Amino acid sequence: WNFDNNKILDIISKNLPKSDKKGLANSGVSANPYHFYWGLEKYLKLNHNIKYCSIERKDIESNLELLQNCHVIIVESFEDDKTLLKSNKLKIGDSEFTLDSAVLRDVDAQHFMAFITLNNVDYGFDGEAKSRLVKFNWKSRLKKNMGEFEFIPEDHTPGNMKFDFLNGYKMLFYYKTKN
């Protein structure tokens, strides 16, 4: 199948007030995926009343009541946080949230990759490559420390970029799947 993420960027951009477009990438331009998710969050909040909560992994336990009322939880972990979330689910009160996607920065803090779940299949995406999504079992790397890895789509020139879910900055996106 052929999917053009620039169409999503165009929809988000057209539906955001000018003041909320700061940092949102133009269609066809490589950019930090954080800005894409930020724009998507603003769009869904303004147009569909979806509540996002962003929190550092270490602060989850002390904010359970706040998180229970969210539709999407973005869990951030920095390089100095060496704790892996061992489950693809977060249970908060009666609510359950399921891991759907992630943004991971390489160990040299130079490049971001996006990892998603589509129709229950895990994929990786490198915005600098010409290929679209590449099947990649990224969730298994969150459950145990598998060390550094390279993600090199077939049409991308191999570089020295190494990624590591334990030792890299990451954002994990959990969507409410049970109320």
Side-chain angles (χ1 to χ4, degrees), residues 22-108:
K22 183 181 178 190
L24 190 61
N26 290 325
S27 189
V29 176
S30 295
N32 182 333
Y34 173 82
H35 297 296
F36 167 78
Y37 281 107
W38 181 82
L40 180 61
E41 175 184 342
K42 291 282 187 186
Y43 168 77
L44 291 172
K45 183 178 180 182
L46 289 170
N47 295 285
H48 300 285
N49 201 28
I50 302 293
K51 183 176 181 185
Y52 276 69
C53 294
S54 185
I55 192 162
E56 283 190 47
R57 191 225 35 92
K58 63 182 177 60
D59 297 328
I60 292 174
E61 290 298 320
S62 59
N63 288 283
L64 295 177
E65 191 173 320
L66 167 79
L67 295 173
Q68 188 170 346
N69 296 318
C70 298
H71 297 102
V72 179
I73 299 174
I74 303 166
V75 179
E76 283 188 283
S77 294
F78 294 86
E79 289 84 353
D80 60 347
D81 183 349
K82 303 295 184 198
T83 304
L84 287 172
L85 293 169
K86 303 262 186 211
S87 175
N88 291 339
K89 302 218 183 269
L90 292 176
K91 184 147 175 62
I92 301 174
D94 293 332
S95 299
E96 189 171 272
F97 298 80
T98 303
L99 180 64
D100 176 80
S101 51
V103 172
L104 177 64
R105 187 170 61 195
D106 73 300
V107 296
D108 293 325

